[in-house]
Amino acid sequence: MKKKFDFSAEMAEAEAIKSNPKNESLEEENHLLDINVQELAKLNDNVFKLRTEVENLSDSIRECEPIISEEMQKLAVEFGARLLCDFLSQIESKCKEAERRMKKSGNAITIPATAFYITIIILVALFSFFVSMIVANTEIFHSSLIWKAVAICALIAISGTAMAIIVPKILDKWA
């Protein structure tokens, strides 16, 4: 902790200048200097006093411990319990909704209509290939008829798949 500053030497020096007869013209200036020295001494006392009070206050703040009242603890526990109950009820409602949807759908797996139509077209193409193989077996295995049947079946599969994809898009534009 800093000690008070002693202004007595400055005051003695000011008195020595004042008692000298050669410096009569500076008498008013010396008077003002005396007033400034006295004001500085008061200011020094005030600063010392404030510094002491701030140090005492900071020491007392370090010693303080925050205390939460029992009522606030009870309110915090109730608030946390309410939040947990709300969260639990939301989870339960979502689980019940999921169970309801699973029971409603049964054991069925939903597939898009486009995938269903493409599957039907592929089945038709495979069936036509199977029929053309039966017809082709009446001739030699390397005949051009087999290759024509494969080409026709591939054409049917490609055109059917393209139609299954393009037709719903065209219908959506008109609707």
Side-chain angles (χ1 to χ4, degrees):
M1 183 182 319
K2 294 191 177 189
K3 295 183 180 179
K4 287 185 177 181
F5 186 75
D6 187 17
F7 289 103
S8 60
E10 285 79 7
M11 291 174 75
E13 185 179 321
E15 287 294 324
I17 293 171
K18 187 177 180 183
S19 64
N20 191 350
K22 294 178 184 178
N23 296 328
E24 288 181 13
S25 63
L26 299 176
E27 186 176 322
E28 186 177 336
E29 188 175 318
N30 287 337
H31 177 68
L32 292 174
L33 184 61
D34 286 341
I35 292 173
N36 284 343
V37 168
Q38 290 172 0
E39 291 297 322
L40 280 173
K42 288 180 186 177
L43 183 63
N44 186 33
D45 290 340
N46 289 341
V47 168
F48 180 76
K49 180 180 170 185
L50 285 174
R51 177 174 282 161
T52 305
E53 288 178 3
V54 167
E55 287 176 355
N56 291 338
L57 184 62
S58 66
D59 290 340
S60 67
I61 288 175
R62 288 184 193 127
E63 295 172 1
C64 289
E65 293 181 14
I67 299 174
I68 299 173
S69 68
E70 289 182 25
E71 182 180 342
M72 289 305 292
Q73 287 178 349
K74 183 180 175 184
L75 287 173
V77 168
E78 288 175 2
F79 180 71
R82 187 169 19 108
L83 283 178
L84 288 175
C85 287
D86 291 345
F87 185 64
L88 182 62
S89 66
Q90 288 177 358
I91 290 174
E92 286 177 352
S93 68
K94 294 291 182 184
C95 287
K96 286 178 183 177
E97 184 180 337
E99 286 177 7
R100 183 186 55 79
R101 277 197 252 155
M102 287 180 4
K103 286 179 182 177
K104 184 179 178 182
S105 67
N107 291 329
I109 299 173
T110 58
I111 58 171
T114 306
F116 175 74
Y117 291 127
I118 290 173
T119 305
I120 296 298
I121 292 167
I122 290 172
L123 287 175
V124 169
L126 287 174
F127 178 72
S128 64
F129 182 73
F130 177 68
V131 169
S132 32
M133 277 296 149
I134 291 175
V135 172
N137 275 333
T138 57
E139 293 190 25
I140 302 176
F141 210 44
H142 294 286
S143 70
S144 63
L145 184 62
I146 291 175
W147 296 114
K148 287 179 187 175
V150 169
I152 291 171
C153 290
L155 183 64
I156 291 170
I158 291 170
S159 63
T161 303
M163 285 176 38
I165 293 172
I166 294 171
V167 168
K169 289 182 181 179
I170 293 172
L171 291 177
D172 285 343
K173 286 181 183 179
W174 287 350

